[in-house]
Structures are given as structure tokens and as C-alpha cells.
Amino acid sequence: MKAPYASVPMLPVACGMLVGIVVTSVWSSSAATWTVIACGVGALVWAVLVHHGLAAVFGASLALGGVLTYGVGAEADAGCSRLIDGVSHSVQARIDDVEVYGGGSAQRALGVIVMADGEAVEPPLRVSLLMPTARPRLMSGDVVRCEAVIERSQAGDTDVPYEVDYAAYNKVRGIAATAYVSASEGKEPEVVARCAGGFAVWLSRQREAIESSIYDSGMQPATAAFVSAILVGDTEYLDPALRDDFRAAGLSHTLAISGLHVGIIAALLSLLLTPLQVWRRGREVKYVTIMVLIWIYALLTGLSPSVLRASVMVSSYYVCRLLQRDGSPYNALALAAVVCMVVNPYDVLSVGAQLSFAAVLSLLLFGEAFNPVSRRRRWLYRLVALFVVPMAALLGTGVIVMVHFHTLPLLSVVTNAAACILMPVMLCGGIVIAALGAVGLAVPMVSGAMDVCYDVINGIASSAAGLPWAELRGVVIGPVVVAAYVTALGALAVALHQAGVRRGALRLMACSVAVAVCGVVIGGDRAPAAELYICRDRGSTGIVSRCGDQVRYYTTARGEERRDAAISKAAERYATYLDVRGATMQAAEFTAGRYVTACGRTIAVVASPIDSYDSLVAAGMKVDYALVCRGYNGDINAVARVFAPDTIIIARDNSLRRHDRWCSESCRPVISMRRQRFSLSE
């Protein structure tokens, strides 16, 4: 029996490029890149000499992967080191991509700094610009002038375990530094040159027109925000509580434009264009029209890895129909992977791309094999598929979700069965509303129906998320468990598609599951009884202190509003840490003028003039560390005289000049939070 995944000519190409990209991304140096390229060329030459076509293709693809990722994650050029000094510079940057966050109040832009302090930057420095303002609204191709403090991204240098490592994410995208843009009065960002028009500008205007039609249609604001998110990817006004409910219910993938959305739209276009088939060449016109419209939609929504993957696979299907040939979905998936890696090799390491390709591969391997109903019983087959398809997708994506998010939605099979019914209705309704809005029409009946559909899907998500067993949180798995899980899935796929080796495959799968269980038991996280971490934020200093299942978060942020914002941000930022520890975060305490005692050590938090500590010092408490924060601007040796600490810790929120001066003048040992992490445990 021939396996359905056999005869996939694009597979060695995709595998070779993937290996080359991963190796040069993990070991980000020119030597590693040239080693990969040399190995690829060597394999190609050897394969040609021995007439081994498969190895030749793999070797050429391996070399191509190394070429595509040449310089991935490389540090800033020595000529740009003057900018990465923690001092504010007047910079001019060309914007490549923009993301709005913080409920629409801030922007994160990827761009290239071409000028700094009136001088050209050679070579240009690729940075991530964090702008605490939504004005001016930037778009791809703009040139912006602003005041920014530029700091080097240090991957793997997080403060608290299980914290999201944004520096590592930036590193694999070739981003050498982060630019913190000032929005204070007189220093607001200024757009000096708008995108010079063209197709990108036209797409941006069409997207804005669609969004306006949705919000002006008469739907409830929450419904309009949801429809705008699933139709054009505008998540700016989505309620954070909605995001949490959808995540816990296993429906978060519906809030971002993905292959599901592209597939639904392709099916809708196929239905609407069916009348074209009455012409002699109508079928060919229909297929070409669908492909063109799908790619326009993909560009309109930002061409994310999942959308690019789906667009390539849809196009492959219709090209095969045009050529009157049988297409292989496995070959289409491998081709999509190759296209994605050529367009942006960094995306192969993104969570979105991993989830997208894993879900589709799992569906191809298990989607039909798990369905016990014959295709001849059409309606019953489709009804069972509503539950089988989400289960098959969860098999492939579950391990990725656990690795990256340390959680697993247990009700995703049921909730996604409902979403498979409601999402096509919501998308079709959104398209109808956008089309009617383009000609100035509004149909209250359609808007009311959309409100009802939204209430249903939101009710399902909130009800599922409210169940105590809806989501398994705090899951920590290591490489051994992941390898065993993938091996088990491979064995299961072989057992389902190759009857002759089913018994051996099942044995292998059982062994793999046993290894996975042992890995979970042996390699599980063993947290110390007590921990303390000092967080390196720029605007204030935070301290996370845990004893048992109680966590206290201390902050030097002043003012009730700022303290509440710091607490809220910390609760979100360290959510996974809390889940893994089975702990809850307690109310924060203001650390200025206080001692923090944890793990048998005492830390004096110096965030105000020394005079305010007289009464505390008089108590005669032994101080192990003096944490000097932004509120203190006196002599560093005065801190040493008053507190007599064993070590002085200079917090991250101090200015660079003050930090350097204190490091050089201190008469006590110094720990710089700019250069290293600090933690205690027992």
C-alpha cells in the first residue's frame, strides 16, 4: 500500500532549507553560516558525483538556507556601536512594518535607522521601535524622525523564569537593538516622508475603508471589533477579556487571520463564481480569478506565515485543476514551506508558522484516518469531522502550545466544532457588510444577525473558559519529552497508513510515550522553596519575591496610577511563572524607604534621599544588598556608609552616565543590572 505522503518532490527542498535556516539561526555567526553553506555545497558535489538526485537536492537546499539567513541575529556593526549606548539620539528611520498594541495607544515598528544625530548610519541599523503613542499613525514605507534611546537586544537574558524572551524573537529576525522612542512634549515623533504611493498604499486605503464600513454598519462595538479582527486582522479594539476567554477555550487562532480564514474565503469565492462555468473557458477564468483575489486578500491582511502558507496551498490546488493533474496536499504543504522560507527565513522560527504548518500536517495525517464514517455517508461524515478535525489539529499543535505558552486548552475540540459552523457565517457576513458599506448601504437585518452570531461564539468561549478544567496551565516540558511526543506521532501516522508495519509502529509509539512520561516525571520543574528576582525595567524597578505559593511584587513606581499599571503589567508578564509555581500574586508594596527580606537575605531599596532612611537604619538591621534605584541621585559611597551592605546593586532604571559613575566610584562590590541578572533562592 502506497503511503499518501510518498512522492513529494518538494520535501527534500523544504527539509534542506529548514535545516540550514535553523542551524544558522541558533548559532548566529558568520562561521556557522559559512559552515552550513560549505556542507550544502559539499553534499551537492558528492551527490552529483555518485548520481544521487535526492541528496543533491537536499545539499543545494541546505546551502540555500544558509545563504538566505546569512547574518541572522548578527550584532550591530562596529560603526553603529556609538548609537547603542543608552543615550538619547535624534534618529531618522525607514519603517518596514507596524503593529498597534496597548488598546490602540502605542505602536511597535520594525525599521532601519538611516541617520542619527545628523549623520548617515552605515550600514543601516535594523531596530524595533517602541512608540508609547498612536500618533502619528505609521505605515510601511514611511520615514520617521524621533528621539530614541537605543539598546542592544540580549537574547536569553530574561529576569524571571518562563518570561517571554522578546530579545530572542528580535534576534532571529535580524534586529540588532531596541529603540525606545520618546513622546514627551517637544520630542514627539514626526513623519518626514510618507510612503510614495503604489500598491501598498492602495491596499492600506482599502483596508481602512473596510474597517470604516464595519464600524459604521450599526453593529455593536464589540461585534464590529471582532469582525474587523477576523476579516482584515485589525485587533486594535478587541477586549483583553475576550482574548483571555478565547485563549482558554482554544479559540485564539480565530482572532488572527490564518489558513482557516483563507480557506473559508476561497470556498466562498468558488461558490460565487460558479456561474462563470457556463462559458467555454469559464472554469479557467474562475480558477485564475480565485487565485488573484486570494493573493490580494493575503497582501491586504499583512501576509503572515499562516496566510502565506494557505495562499500557496490554495494556488497549488487551482494550478493543478488548470493543468488537469492530480495534486498532492503534502507536496503543496512542502512548497508553501519553501515559499515562506524564501520570503522571510526568520518566520520559520515564529510560533505562528510552527502552529500553522503543524496543524495542516496533522490534519493531513490524521484528519481522515480518525473519522470512522465512510465518505459515502456524506452528511454523517461531515458531522463527525466537526470533532475529528479539531482533535487531529490538537495532536500536532498541542506540543508547540505547551512548549511556548505552557498551557493546553482541554476543551478546544468541542469549542472548535462550534467555531467551524459560526466562523464561515461571521466571515461571510463581514464581507457582505463591507461590500454594502462600499456603496453607502447599511442593512440592519444583517448587522443584527452578526450581533447574534457574535453573542453565541462569545458565550461559548466565555462559558468554556469559566470551567475549572477548561485549560491545563503551568505545563513545562523539555526537549526529551518533545522528541518522544514527535516520535510517537510519527509512529502513529505510520501505523495508520502502513498496515504491514502497524504492529512494530505501535510498539515504537508505546515506547515513545513511556519515554515522554519518564521525561515529565524526571525532568519536571522543581521549584525552590523561596525565590527573589529583581526586574530590569526602564522606568522603575520591580522585585518578585516568592515564598511557597505566595508571590509579592514590589515596585518603585510612584503614584497610584503608575503603581497600578506596573502591577497589572507584572501580573500579565509573569503569568506563566505564577502558573508553573501554582502561586498567586499579592498586592504590591511601595519599596521606597523599605527593606525587602527573602531567602534569608535583606535588601535595602534606596529610591529616595538617604535622610528618609534614618529611622530604619537605627533599627540595626543587617543589610546584605543595597538596591540603588532611579529615585536616588546622591553619592554612591553615602549608601555604603549608611547601610553598610555587603554588595551594592545598581538598578536598571538609572541613567547610563550615573550608572557608569557609580560603578567606578563605589567602594563596595557592585552588581550592575545593566550587565547581568540578579536572583536569590533557597
Side-chain angles (χ1 to χ4, degrees):
M1 178 180 177
K2 187 177 181 180
Y5 43 82
S7 302
V8 184
M10 293 303 300
L11 184 60
V13 180
C15 291
M17 292 180 63
L18 179 62
V19 171
I21 290 173
V22 170
V23 171
T24 52
S25 299
V26 173
W27 292 281
S28 53
S29 65
S30 297
T33 303
W34 283 112
T35 301
V36 169
I37 295 174
C39 290
V41 173
L44 174 62
V45 173
W46 172 82
V48 171
L49 292 176
V50 299
H51 304 289
H52 197 298
L54 186 63
V57 172
F58 181 84
S61 303
L62 180 65
L64 178 60
V67 171
L68 289 174
T69 53
Y70 179 77
V72 169
E75 299 292 344
D77 184 82
C80 302
S81 59
R82 64 181 180 86
L83 300 178
I84 308 178
D85 54 7
V87 178
S88 180
H89 294 274
S90 176
V91 301
Q92 189 166 303
R94 184 182 68 252
I95 304 301
D96 294 333
D97 190 20
V98 182
E99 174 191 359
V100 178
Y101 68 101
S105 62
Q107 301 176 84
R108 179 184 292 108
L110 299 182
V112 177
I113 294 180
V114 293
M115 292 190 67
D117 301 325
E119 299 180 5
V121 176
E122 292 293 343
L125 179 63
R126 184 170 174 81
V127 299
S128 173
L129 295 98
L130 299 182
M131 305 177 63
T133 175
R135 296 289 181 270
R137 180 61 60 86
L138 301 178
M139 62 182 298
S140 178
D142 289 348
V143 177
V144 62
R145 181 188 298 123
C146 57
E147 296 286 331
V149 176
I150 305 173
E151 297 182 355
R152 192 182 304 278
S153 298
Q154 297 181 1
D157 201 16
T158 54
D159 298 325
V160 175
Y162 314 112
E163 183 181 349
V164 177
D165 191 353
Y166 292 105
Y169 176 68
N170 287 337
K171 180 180 178 181
V172 299
R173 301 178 74 186
I175 299 172
T178 300
Y180 298 92
V181 178
S182 172
S184 59
E185 186 176 356
K187 296 183 178 180
E188 298 88 351
E190 174 189 2
V191 177
V192 296
R194 280 291 183 186
C195 183
F199 187 61
V201 174
W202 180 82
L203 285 175
S204 178
R205 290 174 180 171
Q206 300 309 310
R207 176 171 173 162
E208 292 176 357
I210 294 173
E211 293 172 1
S212 299
S213 299
I214 292 172
Y215 285 103
D216 295 340
S217 63
M219 290 186 293
Q220 299 174 1
T223 307
F226 181 80
V227 174
S228 181
I230 66 174
L231 188 59
V232 293
D234 177 23
T235 60
E236 181 176 345
Y237 298 106
L238 282 178
D239 187 356
L242 176 75
R243 296 174 185 266
D244 293 338
D245 288 344
F246 272 62
R247 186 208 69 243
L251 294 173
S252 57
H253 64 95
T254 62
L255 297 177
I257 305 295
S258 63
L260 171 66
H261 303 70
V262 175
I264 292 174
I265 291 177
L268 177 62
L269 289 173
S270 179
L271 179 64
L272 294 176
L273 296 176
T274 298
L276 290 176
Q277 297 183 189
V278 300
W279 299 346
R280 182 181 178 184
R281 293 292 183 181
R283 189 181 300 272
E284 290 81 358
V285 173
K286 171 187 172 180
Y287 296 158
V288 173
T289 303
I290 291 175
M291 287 189 286
V292 171
L293 293 178
I294 283 296
W295 280 104
I296 291 177
Y297 177 73
L299 294 171
L300 182 71
T301 56
L303 205 64
S304 66
S306 58
V307 172
L308 180 58
R309 189 267 309 156
S311 301
V312 173
M313 293 191 70
V314 169
S315 300
S316 300
Y317 170 77
Y318 284 113
V319 167
C320 290
R321 296 293 296 271
L322 284 172
L323 299 176
Q324 297 182 355
R325 293 184 178 180
D326 293 332
S328 166
Y330 296 94
N331 201 49
L333 182 63
L335 175 62
V338 171
V339 173
C340 289
M341 287 185 281
V342 170
V343 171
N344 189 350
Y346 314 122
D347 282 340
V348 73
L349 300 178
S350 69
V351 180
Q354 293 172 15
L355 289 173
S356 178
F357 283 93
V360 175
L361 181 59
S362 187
L363 287 176
L364 294 176
L365 291 173
F366 307 116
E368 187 170 357
F370 284 175
N371 197 325
V373 181
S374 172
R375 278 184 175 271
R376 287 175 291 186
R377 306 174 67 180
R378 182 179 304 177
W379 292 107
L380 183 58
Y381 176 87
R382 292 177 179 176
L383 179 62
V384 175
L386 288 176
F387 299 92
V388 170
V389 167
M391 182 173 63
L394 183 62
L395 274 179
T397 60
V399 66
I400 300 175
V401 172
M402 288 187 287
V403 167
H404 291 286
F405 305 111
H406 307 286
T407 183
L408 183 66
L410 301 178
L411 294 178
S412 61
V413 173
V414 178
T415 55
N416 277 279
C420 288
I421 299 174
L422 293 172
M423 285 300 294
V425 177
M426 296 289 289
L427 275 172
C428 294
I431 293 173
V432 170
I433 287 175
L436 293 175
V439 295
L441 296 178
V443 180
M445 184 178 297
V446 178
S447 300
M450 294 293 287
D451 288 333
V452 172
C453 290
Y454 170 76
D455 291 339
V456 172
I457 193 170
N458 186 33
I460 293 173
S462 59
S463 299
L467 297 175
W469 36 270
E471 186 182 21
L472 183 63
R473 308 187 67 173
V475 181
V476 180
I477 59 177
V480 174
V481 179
V482 174
Y485 184 91
V486 173
T487 303
L489 281 186
L492 179 60
V494 172
L496 290 172
H497 295 289
Q498 296 284 353
V501 295
R502 181 173 300 177
R503 182 175 299 178
L506 289 176
R507 290 177 180 173
L508 178 61
M509 183 178 64
C511 294
S512 301
V513 173
V515 172
V517 173
C518 293
V520 172
V521 174
I522 298 174
D525 182 68
R526 289 179 172 80
E531 301 169 281
L532 180 141
Y533 302 93
I534 298 180
C535 309
R536 293 168 296 175
D537 297 325
R538 298 182 69 255
S540 60
T541 297
I543 299 177
V544 176
S545 176
R546 183 186 69 83
C547 182
D549 60 353
Q550 300 296 317
V551 174
R552 300 196 73 86
Y553 178 72
Y554 305 87
T555 176
T556 60
R558 302 195 178 190
E560 184 177 355
E561 183 177 349
R562 291 187 177 180
R563 286 201 299 272
D564 291 344
I567 296 169
S568 176
K569 182 179 179 180
E572 179 181 357
R573 182 175 174 184
Y574 308 129
T576 302
Y577 167 77
L578 296 173
D579 290 338
V580 172
R581 297 293 194 258
T584 56
M585 183 173 288
Q586 303 296 308
E589 296 182 8
F590 185 50
T591 60
R594 291 190 57 87
Y595 291 95
V596 176
T597 301
C599 305
R601 307 292 179 86
T602 300
I603 300 176
V605 182
V606 186
S608 58
I610 289 291
D611 297 342
S612 63
Y613 294 85
D614 290 343
S615 60
L616 296 175
V617 175
M621 182 178 291
K622 172 66 173 68
V623 176
D624 296 289
Y625 301 96
L627 176 61
V628 186
C629 305
R630 187 176 187 176
Y632 179 75
N633 56 9
D635 183 9
I636 192 65
N637 289 318
V639 175
R641 289 193 300 269
V642 171
F643 295 97
D646 295 334
T647 306
I648 293 177
I649 304 173
I650 301 179
R652 169 67 182 77
D653 58 357
N654 290 292
S655 68
L656 181 64
R657 293 179 181 177
R658 186 176 298 166
H659 164 274
D660 292 344
R661 186 178 75 249
W662 283 346
C663 286
S664 62
E665 294 178 354
S666 176
C667 61
R668 298 269 178 167
V670 170
I671 296 177
S672 168
M673 296 299 294
R674 284 182 175 270
R675 300 170 183 166
Q676 66 184 83
R677 293 173 287 186
F678 180 86
S679 63
L680 298 173
S681 63
E682 65 176 15

